[in-house]
Amino acid sequence: KVYCEDAQKFNKYSKYNMFYVYNPFSGTVMKNVLHQISLSLISNPRHIIFIYLNPLYHDVVDESGVFVKYIDPNIFSLNVRIYTNNKNFKLK
């Protein structure tokens, strides 16, 4: 599904466990979106993967307390960071 709405007011984060963003927000909006995702973990605890391409505000993700950086791969010379909320996560 594709949603076209304010990400800060989106109320369906709890339905998803994977998020992909391509530097879509300012740092302030990113902080608010991460807060909404963290609140969704209260109602639906789950393992989340957060893929951030061109991570200009990676410090906001790092400081969120929700995610830890899992991997910082160099894919096709693109700057990408992959985060998880599960410190024990391992790719199979």
Side-chain angles (χ1 to χ4, degrees):
K1 288 189 171 192
V2 175
Y3 298 94
C4 184
E5 58 187 276
D6 185 337
Q8 299 174 100
K9 296 177 183 175
F10 184 69
N11 63 0
K12 296 175 181 71
Y13 286 115
S14 63
K15 294 183 177 188
Y16 301 97
N17 64 348
M18 185 171 292
F19 301 93
Y20 168 84
V21 296
Y22 191 130
N23 192 34
F25 316 119
S26 68
T28 301
V29 174
M30 178 66 80
K31 183 176 181 177
N32 293 336
V33 167
L34 292 171
H35 179 71
Q36 292 302 319
I37 292 172
S38 72
L39 291 177
S40 79
L41 285 165
I42 295 168
S43 63
N44 181 20
R46 65 205 181 279
H47 176 218
I48 293 177
I49 300 292
F50 189 83
I51 302 165
Y52 190 4
L53 191 61
N54 192 28
L56 294 181
Y57 300 103
H58 62 86
D59 56 325
V60 174
V61 181
D62 292 337
E63 295 167 2
S64 72
V66 179
F67 298 107
V68 294
K69 185 170 66 171
Y70 174 67
I71 192 169
D72 197 354
N74 183 356
I75 301 173
F76 305 116
S77 299
L78 297 173
N79 188 7
V80 62
R81 291 192 182 188
I82 301 174
Y83 296 88
T84 179
N85 66 326
N86 181 345
K87 292 177 177 77
N88 299 315
F89 176 72
K90 301 285 185 231
L91 282 175
K92 295 180 182 182

